[in-house]
Amino acid sequence: MRKLLSAAALLLAATIAPAHALDFQGRLVQGGMVIGTVAPGSEVTLDGSAVAVNDNGRFVIGFGRDYKDSALLAVIDPQTDEQEILPLVIEPRDYDIQRIDGLPPGKVTGFSEATLKRIRAENAQVASARANTKRVDNFLESFIWPVKGRISGVYGSQRVLNGEPRRPHFGIDIAAPTGTPIVAPAGGTVVLAEKDHFFTGGIIIIDHGYSLSSTLFHMDTVEVEVGQVVAQGDRVGTVGATGRATGPHLDWRMNWGKERLDPQLVVGPMPE
């Protein structure tokens, strides 16, 4: 879901030279994704880190679950080489507590050294895949739901698994019958496709370009391969209950680099 942040735009307009022509679409909020537009050739940084900008001056940034209440966006004009520092106010959020019981005990506590080694290797594989981003413009597409169903878990909720406090949930859970088709929420390149990760089971990662990616968990079947280019709406697999799950559902997560975003803020309400 994209909407113009008129208040933020007015604030920015007051501090940016007209040559920058900066525009924002999205929400300056924890978990939010923002699409920006600057003059082609501009250099952009967020809190001191470089932000890739496409040939048309479009870029994407995002803010994680616990992102601080402010950020600094810097834009260097390609004509004058002058830099503008733009303060951004990041809206905080409150998060639910979700208790999930009935998980296999071996998926929650008491991991053997061999299992811990496997988990670390799989986490490193995921991090490497997300870092392998391309300069393609699929990040500009209007995202769609990869599957329709009941929302059974929301972004940011503090998880209590079998009575044990665990890390927050960083995605949106969509309950649907095993075998329900899953489609690509936007186009991109498949950078990870595995059928049996310990926690996530069948998992794929689609790179939408410029460090924005979608990760799909707990799949019953994985029907794409690493390096495959998919278009929005292409079938990529089916819903399952693989990995650490109590029933069939899809866990959809979005990342901008290391920032974990809320897919529901990007895609909007679940269709009827």
Side-chain angles (χ1 to χ4, degrees), residues 14-96:
T15 57
I16 300 172
H20 289 156
L22 191 147
D23 176 57
F24 271 172
Q25 292 177 311
R27 290 187 61 187
L28 296 170
V29 62
Q30 290 175 337
M33 181 185 89
V34 171
I35 302 294
T37 304
V38 291
S42 298
E43 297 179 27
V44 178
T45 61
L46 180 67
D47 287 336
S49 297
V51 175
V53 181
N54 76 3
D55 292 340
N56 296 318
R58 309 297 301 278
F59 65 90
V60 58
I61 56 176
F63 309 96
R65 178 187 186 272
D66 299 309
Y67 206 92
K68 59 187 185 297
D69 60 5
S70 64
L72 292 178
L73 189 77
V75 180
I76 299 179
D77 185 275
Q79 303 299 324
T80 66
D81 210 32
E82 293 180 353
Q83 177 176 261
E84 296 284 349
I85 305 295
L86 315 170
L88 306 179
V89 177
I90 311 303
E91 180 185 348
R93 293 172 64 181
D94 294 323
Y95 299 105
D96 295 336

Side-chain angles (χ1 to χ4, degrees), residues 18-233:
H20 289 156
L22 191 147
D23 176 57
F24 271 172
Q25 292 177 311
R27 290 187 61 187
L28 296 170
V29 62
Q30 290 175 337
M33 181 185 89
V34 171
I35 302 294
T37 304
V38 291
S42 298
E43 297 179 27
V44 178
T45 61
L46 180 67
D47 287 336
S49 297
V51 175
V53 181
N54 76 3
D55 292 340
N56 296 318
R58 309 297 301 278
F59 65 90
V60 58
I61 56 176
F63 309 96
R65 178 187 186 272
D66 299 309
Y67 206 92
K68 59 187 185 297
D69 60 5
S70 64
L72 292 178
L73 189 77
V75 180
I76 299 179
D77 185 275
Q79 303 299 324
T80 66
D81 210 32
E82 293 180 353
Q83 177 176 261
E84 296 284 349
I85 305 295
L86 315 170
L88 306 179
V89 177
I90 311 303
E91 180 185 348
R93 293 172 64 181
D94 294 323
Y95 299 105
D96 295 336
I97 296 176
Q98 185 178 25
R99 302 179 185 277
I100 302 175
D101 297 315
L103 289 164
K107 292 287 186 179
V108 180
T109 57
F111 302 134
S112 67
E113 186 55 42
T115 297
L116 290 172
K117 183 178 179 180
R118 174 185 174 184
I119 292 169
R120 287 192 290 266
E122 290 173 354
N123 288 342
Q125 186 183 27
V126 168
S128 177
R130 288 191 178 129
N132 183 26
T133 190
K134 297 183 180 298
R135 293 179 70 92
V136 295
D137 291 344
N138 299 108
F139 73 95
L140 294 171
E141 297 178 19
S142 295
F143 281 64
I144 63 173
W145 286 91
V147 68
K148 295 179 183 179
R150 177 178 60 86
I151 295 176
S152 56
V154 296
Y155 172 90
S157 57
Q158 179 63 53
R159 286 284 175 89
V160 180
L161 307 180
N162 290 357
E164 297 283 341
R166 288 294 182 266
R167 298 178 67 194
H169 189 235
F170 293 108
I172 186 85
D173 288 337
I174 310 158
T178 297
T180 301
I182 300 168
V183 302
T189 303
V190 178
V191 292
L192 182 70
E194 294 289 339
K195 297 180 179 179
D196 186 30
H197 272 196
F198 183 78
F199 287 128
T200 58
I203 174 177
I204 70 170
I205 299 178
I206 302 172
D207 170 36
H208 304 300
Y210 291 83
S211 298
L212 186 70
S213 65
S214 285
T215 306
L216 308 173
F217 290 175
H218 305 307
M219 298 170 69
D220 187 56
T221 61
V222 173
E223 301 173 7
V224 290
E225 299 177 349
V226 170
Q228 183 173 337
V229 176
V230 296
Q232 184 180 77

